[in-house]
Amino acid sequence: MAEVLVYVDHVDGAVRKPTLELLTLARRLGEPVAVALGAGAGGTAGVLAEHGAVRVLTAEASEFADYLVVPKVDALQAAFEAVSPVAVLLPSSAEAKEVAARLAVRVGSGIITDAVDVEAGDEGVVATQSVFAASYTTKSRVSRGVPVITVKPNSAPVEPAAAAGAVEALAVVFSELATGTKVVSRTPRESTGRPELTEAAIVVSGGRGVNGAENFAVIEALADSLGAAVGASRAAVDAGWYPHTNQVGQTGKSVSPQLYIASGISGAIQHRAGMQTSKTIVAINKDAEAPIFDLVDYGVVGDLFNVVPQLTGEITARKG
Ligand SMILES: Cc1cc2nc3c(=O)[nH]c(=O)nc-3n(C[C@H](O)[C@H](O)[C@H](O)COP(=O)(O)OP(=O)(O)OC[C@H]3O[C@@H](n4cnc5c(N)ncnc54)[C@H](O)[C@@H]3O)c2cc1C
């Protein structure tokens, strides 16, 4: 059966959810062969096998951490040449997109980024993208080579499907380019203790209506009462009230949680592009005419500084 390469995103062996989503999609195209690189790669095999990986190719060389992406491209290319896959799937993270682009150039393939679905078509793998701020859904396939496709988080369910997950050491010879850019220091971002935005089941976002960095405490308190991640509109981020990494939207992150609560956000099309596939959407806005209300399952017309603390208090009380 045809094999599909899946590039594994993991932290010290802990596989991140978008990779498990890729395995769901890969199984539609053929037998998933996972490629796990860096420290802890061997530790990924168990969970990858539980989600359908027939083979797990691992390489743990220190080069993966010591240099920027080129060693990873070298390794993925080695896997590509060893496996001859029908498609290569990677998560749509900034780093994996760079790896994907470099691999596609090297192997002479077309690349499709930010897909939200993939399926086997008569003439090859077809990817679905949501484009122009989610105004259009397009289907495309590469016209040259083996498709290299990056897929947005939350595009497919995580489905357990036991497979062999046979671990094989991947032989990699690093190119001269691989050691061109050395990582000289790393500063871990301070952990908020909240879930990762793109993976969270609940996201609580604030916009220009929050009116100041210090007021984001109101949004954070609601998020913490629900065990949610915190998001922000571009207006709030550009004003310096919240970090860019928390921006939701066309030029920020795409989220698709079970519950999305927008406070003081008008619902511009560029914001909607990043959250409109959320399962249940709640908005709190003092303007009854705000466009966000066209999209919501539940809307509250009111001042967020009045509504949100009451909501937080009620949730906290019910958790008892
Ligand atoms: C190329 C491009 C890319 C973009 N990408 C993004 C993106 O990725 N993400 C994104 O978010 N935007 C993006 N934008 C910007 C987008 O067009 C909007 O400007 C932005 O989303 C507006 O943010 P906002 O809703 O917080 O602010 P506003 O549109 O100013 O809305 C603020 C809302 O808060 C309400 N409000 C005010 N005070 C209160 C209160 N006390 N209680 C309750 N409600 C209150 C107001 O009624 C209003 O509806 C992009 C724009 C462009 C051109």
Side-chain angles (χ1 to χ4, degrees):
M1 196 183 185
E3 293 185 308
V4 179
L5 275 190
V6 172
Y7 181 80
V8 176
D9 184 9
H10 72 99
V11 180
D12 296 330
V15 179
R16 303 189 58 185
K17 187 168 151 258
T19 300
L20 304 181
E21 296 164 8
L22 289 184
L23 287 170
T24 302
L25 294 175
R27 291 202 308 275
R28 294 186 195 160
L29 309 176
E31 290 191 332
V33 176
V35 181
L37 308 173
T44 62
V47 70
L48 294 172
E50 284 165 19
H51 292 85
V54 174
R55 297 160 67 194
V56 180
L57 311 182
T58 62
E60 299 204 357
S62 59
E63 279 83 350
F64 298 120
D66 292 345
Y67 300 92
L68 292 185
V69 297
V70 184
K72 292 174 181 164
V73 182
D74 288 345
L76 194 57
Q77 186 178 1
F80 183 93
E81 283 160 6
V83 170
S84 298
V86 291
V88 184
L89 302 184
L90 303 91
S92 272
S93 65
E95 182 182 278
K97 279 201 262 193
E98 187 177 346
V99 172
R102 287 170 178 263
L103 176 76
V105 169
R106 287 193 189 184
V107 300
S109 283
I111 179 170
I112 297 172
T113 57
D114 292 337
V116 293
D117 201 5
V118 293
E119 61 200 317
D122 292 340
E123 295 175 64
V125 177
V126 175
T128 305
Q129 287 162 297
S130 180
V131 300
F132 293 128
S135 316
Y136 292 89
T137 299
T138 62
K139 287 188 185 284
S140 46
R141 59 181 165 75
V142 305
S143 53
R144 198 170 60 152
V146 172
V148 178
I149 303 173
T150 76
V151 181
K152 283 190 167 193
N154 293 311
S155 296
V158 173
E159 288 170 358
V167 180
E168 298 166 40
L170 178 66
V172 189
V173 179
F174 293 114
S175 60
E176 248 177 63
L177 293 172
T179 54
T181 317
K182 190 166 173 52
V183 176
V184 291
S185 74
R186 281 194 163 75
T187 311
R189 206 169 48 224
E190 231 170 82
S191 169
T192 59
R194 299 190 184 98
E196 160 64 30
L197 186 57
T198 53
E199 297 170 18
I202 305 176
V203 174
V204 178
S205 286
R208 204 193 307 269
V210 175
N211 199 26
E214 64 289 353
N215 296 341
F216 256 86
V218 174
I219 304 296
E220 288 179 334
L222 175 58
D224 291 342
S225 74
L226 292 164
V230 175
S233 73
R234 179 154 151 187
V237 162
D238 283 352
W241 302 340
Y242 223 66
H244 279 280
T245 45
N246 294 64
Q247 183 183 317
V248 172
Q250 184 187 335
T251 42
K253 291 184 174 157
S254 285
V255 299
S256 193
Q258 296 298 316
L259 173 63
Y260 187 87
I261 305 180
S263 298
I265 293 178
S266 62
I269 188 159
Q270 297 89 354
H271 187 80
R272 294 161 69 142
M275 46 65 75
Q276 63 189 1
T277 55
S278 305
K279 307 296 172 293
T280 301
I281 299 172
V282 177
I284 299 151
N285 196 303
K286 66 180 183 187
D287 175 8
E289 303 296 321
I292 190 103
F293 286 128
D294 296 340
L295 185 72
V296 298
D297 298 284
Y298 302 95
V300 183
V301 179
D303 187 322
L304 74 92
F305 296 105
N306 181 18
V307 177
V308 174
Q310 287 189 59
L311 186 54
T312 308
E314 189 65 29
I315 291 164
T316 309
R318 287 189 186 210
K319 284 199 307 193

